Amino acid sequence: MAPVIRGNSLYTIVDGLNWQGGENYAIKLGGHLASISSSEEDIFLKENFQRGWIGLTDTASEGTWRWTDGSQVTYTNWEVGQPDNTREIQHYAQAWTQSGKWDDAEEDTPQQSIAFNKRSIIEIPFIRRGDSAYVIVSGPTWEEAEANAVKLGGHLVTINDAAENEWIATSYGGRGGTYNPSGLWKYWIGLKKTNSDGDLTWISKEPLSYQNFHQGSNASSNEYAFINLWQTQLSYEGNNGVWVPHANLHGDYDGKKMTGIAEIKLAPNNTPTGTPTVAGTFKVGSTLTIDATAIKDSDNFTGYTPTFKYNWETSTDGT
């Protein structure tokens, strides 16, 4: 199924994997098995996915449950009497039982997971820019990184102008990718040569209206390209933000860790509706309060707390 969005995370599900298989798959897509921090998120995921492995485990220390993404355990929804660690091998959480609660379970073999159609609920955090979500996906090859981007409903990133290129340099410089001791980080981007005689073009089929190739040329015998980013995130210093044509595997820079930047198109971010109200006595020295409960944001999730910017103006007659 296509990923669903809540806040700044994409959620999707994969069938036929045991708990560790689901976690490994999630990492390839730039995330982890889902972590749940509130009853609202719990209900949202149950309504969309019904059941599945989540990223809660006590494998590191019996009885101490931790989320694989490193977030704090601030909410749980265990079935009565759970977790009970039956046979002392139940170290993984699955949601949801028939009563809508969580249960601890043992990790099946991959064969058992396929036979019983076990499901894994995956959460992938993203950075939003305009109507696109950006996610770091695993490689090591360009083709594997692109396949992981497609699983999320997108492609490796298409860069349409200098502003987007600079934003990527600022957002992802030093955050991941393949590190080179010279201070550069490298990520696959969505450029691919479609035939042996042609230039590199965007896999998304968007026009190559902006270019920032190394040495200023698209002409290359290589079939793919990555982007160079400085660890310091300085804007366009040296090779920062340039595109470098390359073969499918970048073995010179530890190809086992080579990752890509995926771009997933989102529905337009609609403007919130509603008007806040101000209460209190309108005079110097009094306290005014703002009630923003009437403001609704259809694109966001229950519990979202926006930040409001405001200013006061005093009339000429002192009121």
Side-chain angles (χ1 to χ4, degrees), residues 40-61:
E40 291 82 8
E41 185 178 10
D42 199 21
I43 293 169
F44 170 85
L45 294 180
K46 181 184 176 184
E47 289 176 346
N48 281 278
F49 302 116
Q50 287 78 55
R51 60 184 174 82
W53 295 115
I54 55 177
L56 198 59
T57 178
D58 70 343
T59 51
S61 177

Side-chain angles (χ1 to χ4, degrees), residues 192-213:
K192 179 180 181 179
K193 183 173 292 189
T194 55
N195 62 71
S196 59
D197 298 325
D199 291 336
L200 294 166
T201 58
W202 294 118
I203 189 66
S204 65
K205 301 188 184 307
E206 295 180 53
L208 191 63
S209 54
Y210 164 78
Q211 300 184 29
N212 195 33
F213 285 100

Side-chain angles (χ1 to χ4, degrees), residues 1-2 10 28 48 58 69 82 84 99 102 110 114 169 194 273:
M1 65 176 295
L10 299 168
K28 289 183 179 181
N48 281 278
D58 70 343
D69 67 359
Q82 300 296 332
D84 61 2
S99 63
W102 306 352
I114 294 172
T194 55
T273 60

Side-chain angles (χ1 to χ4, degrees), residues 159 165-166 168-169 184-185 189 210-214 226-230 234-244:
I159 303 174
N165 206 65
E166 185 170 2
I168 288 172
L184 294 174
W185 295 79
I189 58 176
Y210 164 78
Q211 300 184 29
N212 195 33
F213 285 100
H214 180 55
F226 60 83
I227 186 171
N228 269 344
L229 303 180
W230 275 100
L234 295 178
S235 177
Y236 291 99
E237 177 179 327
N239 283 331
N240 196 32
V242 301
W243 310 343
V244 182

Side-chain angles (χ1 to χ4, degrees), residues 40-117:
E40 291 82 8
E41 185 178 10
D42 199 21
I43 293 169
F44 170 85
L45 294 180
K46 181 184 176 184
E47 289 176 346
N48 281 278
F49 302 116
Q50 287 78 55
R51 60 184 174 82
W53 295 115
I54 55 177
L56 198 59
T57 178
D58 70 343
T59 51
S61 177
E62 171 60 35
T64 302
W65 291 83
R66 293 186 173 91
W67 295 112
T68 56
D69 67 359
S71 58
Q72 297 295 314
V73 180
T74 58
Y75 168 85
T76 58
N77 189 24
W78 295 111
E79 180 68 83
V80 174
Q82 300 296 332
D84 61 2
N85 194 19
T86 301
R87 299 189 302 279
E88 299 183 355
I89 56 174
Q90 295 186 317
H91 302 300
Y92 310 94
Q94 57 183 358
W96 294 259
T97 64
Q98 290 184 345
S99 63
K101 301 289 185 178
W102 306 352
D103 183 21
D104 63 341
E106 61 188 88
E107 184 176 31
D108 300 324
T109 65
Q111 293 76 16
Q112 290 172 323
S113 298
I114 294 172
F116 293 103
N117 194 30

Side-chain angles (χ1 to χ4, degrees), residues 137-143 145 156-157 186-191 224-227 244 246-250 255 258-262:
V137 293
S138 293
T141 66
W142 186 98
E143 293 287 356
L156 287 174
V157 62
K186 304 174 185 298
Y187 302 85
W188 295 120
I189 58 176
L191 286 170
Y224 309 97
F226 60 83
I227 186 171
V244 182
H246 204 276
N248 192 31
L249 181 65
H250 201 315
M258 193 74 175
T259 58
I261 301 174

